[in-house]
Amino acid sequence: MKKTVLTFSLAFSALTLGACSEEAADSEVIVTSDVGDITKEELYEEMKSSIGAQALQVMMIENVLSEAYEVTEEDVEARYNAEMEQAGGEDAFLQYITSQGYTEETYKDYLRLNLLQEAALTDGVEISDEEVAQQYEEMTTELNARHILVEDEETANEVIEQLEAGEDFAALAEEYSTDPGSAVNGGELGWFTAGTMVPEFEDAAYALEVGEISEPVQSQYGYHIIEVTDRRQVEDAEPLEEMAEEIRTQLALEQADQSALLTKVSEMLQEANVEIQDEDLEGALDQFLNAPPATEAPAEEEAPAEEEAPAEEEAAE
């Protein structure tokens, strides 16, 4: 699965500073030349001034998350291999990560931190077997559909009225649809699987029976009128047993309160009693240590006994 949801981003390439910082006080010469030498201490000071704060953030966050959650080498290898397969093989994948400034080793370090953050995000999020089974059903089912995309709900309802009166879907798509890619083809989208379309469109499409036309479905692009024309099973799909945990993790990430991750990391750092000895880096963790605590929604107040509580307004359709 490609989706990875992270609340904050860190410059992971800065992790290379770790090897130097362990012996920063050592003035051992690591580069010699006719124009001057470079010591470990000099390299440390130079790296500290440019990426020191980011490197310190990465290293400490990984330390506190590793204390609370376990990510094994097998977990990292599995994620690495999955991404490599999605990229089209080893050569294409190595070319991609190299273009992003990673080596195989540093990219696996990046994945390890990713997995630790995912573990923190999904901690306590419960996903039922029924939810997993439903997601698997969608992932292993391809839909063939067509749609008419319009700018507003009023126009969408007008189109639906014409469809209910027996007007031809393809003709209406050519007349009304603002989707240039499909309008000329009568709204045809062809075959697609879960994860291909925007969530609002996808949720509505998978809920339809073949031949059924949706109510107006709003997305970032406008209002869709969708008709599923056919459905079929994906060939050679992996069995549910082999995909269940991956699906469960992805659903948990989607349902997790991502805004709470920063607060969780902040609490972990405070509990770890972090003391930065290098005065140049003293404020490196301030944005995490001083993160505001997660706030709970205030409890609803009950209406006084002698007064009638106001009726709820009906939600606009």
Side-chain angles (χ1 to χ4, degrees):
M1 291 184 180
K2 296 181 181 179
K3 298 179 183 176
T4 302
V5 186
L6 299 177
T7 300
F8 51 86
S9 172
L10 300 169
F12 206 87
S13 58
L15 272 178
T16 52
L17 180 61
C20 302
S21 62
E22 293 175 0
E23 302 179 77
D26 194 332
S27 60
E28 176 187 345
V29 174
I30 58 173
V31 176
T32 62
S33 74
D34 293 340
V35 294
D37 300 340
I38 298 176
T39 66
K40 282 186 175 180
E41 183 177 4
E42 289 171 334
L43 178 61
Y44 168 74
E45 291 296 328
E46 179 64 27
M47 296 179 74
K48 180 178 70 174
S49 66
S50 58
I51 57 174
Q54 291 174 318
L56 185 59
Q57 291 167 9
V58 170
M59 296 169 73
M60 281 308 308
I61 289 171
E62 182 171 9
N63 283 351
V64 295
L65 291 176
S66 296
E67 186 70 18
Y69 306 101
E70 181 181 9
V71 170
T72 66
E73 292 301 318
E74 289 75 15
D75 295 331
V76 175
E77 284 294 327
R79 177 63 62 86
Y80 183 87
N81 290 334
E83 292 196 9
M84 182 167 62
E85 182 178 348
Q86 290 173 349
E90 183 175 8
D91 291 342
F93 188 56
L94 289 176
Q95 183 177 358
Y96 168 73
I97 65 175
T98 300
S99 71
Q100 300 300 309
Y102 294 102
T103 65
E104 180 178 343
E105 181 180 358
T106 58
Y107 193 75
K108 287 180 178 178
D109 288 338
Y110 161 76
L111 291 179
R112 174 178 169 77
L113 182 57
N114 243 17
L115 288 167
L116 285 168
Q117 290 183 90
E118 288 179 9
L121 266 173
T122 58
D123 188 12
V125 179
E126 298 293 335
I127 303 297
S128 68
D129 292 341
E130 289 76 14
E131 289 175 288
V132 172
Q134 179 180 348
Q135 181 67 14
Y136 176 79
E137 176 64 23
E138 292 187 6
M139 290 173 60
T140 56
T141 300
E142 289 182 304
L143 299 182
N144 197 315
R146 54 186 181 175
H147 81 143
I148 301 170
L149 177 64
V150 296
E151 294 182 353
D152 56 77
E153 189 173 12
E154 181 179 356
T155 305
N157 286 323
E158 290 176 6
V159 172
I160 288 176
E161 287 178 7
Q162 293 183 59
L163 288 170
E164 291 175 345
E167 294 290 331
D168 181 64
F169 193 106
L172 291 173
E174 292 179 14
E175 179 181 354
Y176 284 95
S177 185
T178 60
D179 177 8
S182 67
V184 294
N185 297 316
E188 294 289 345
L189 296 168
W191 291 98
F192 60 89
T193 55
T196 307
M197 304 296 185
V198 291
E200 301 88 350
F201 183 101
E202 189 171 287
D203 290 345
Y206 273 94
L208 294 173
E209 299 294 334
V210 172
E212 183 181 2
I213 295 175
S214 73
E215 294 298 316
V217 177
Q218 185 178 13
S219 78
Q220 66 196 76
Y221 301 107
Y223 287 82
H224 308 260
I225 299 99
I226 308 165
E227 181 185 14
V228 171
T229 56
D230 201 358
R231 62 171 63 215
R232 67 188 181 192
Q233 291 301 113
V234 175
E235 295 183 2
D236 303 322
E238 296 181 31
L240 173 59
E241 294 75 18
E242 295 182 14
M243 298 183 65
E245 286 310 307
E246 183 181 3
I247 293 172
R248 195 181 303 277
T249 297
Q250 187 58 48
L251 290 175
L253 283 171
E254 292 173 359
Q255 295 183 23
D257 179 6
Q258 297 169 39
S259 64
L261 179 56
L262 183 58
T263 300
K264 182 175 290 189
V265 168
S266 175
E267 293 171 349
M268 289 179 169
L269 287 170
Q270 292 175 35
E271 292 172 1
N273 298 316
V274 179
E275 294 184 8
I276 300 174
Q277 305 301 321
D278 189 323
E279 62 180 16
D280 294 330
L281 296 173
E282 283 181 347
L285 296 176
D286 284 356
Q287 69 183 98
F288 301 103
L289 290 169
N290 301 327
T295 56
E296 296 182 0
E300 295 184 2
E301 294 184 5
E302 295 184 1
E306 65 274 11
E307 298 181 6
E308 184 179 349
E312 295 183 358
E313 296 181 359
E314 293 185 1
E317 294 184 0

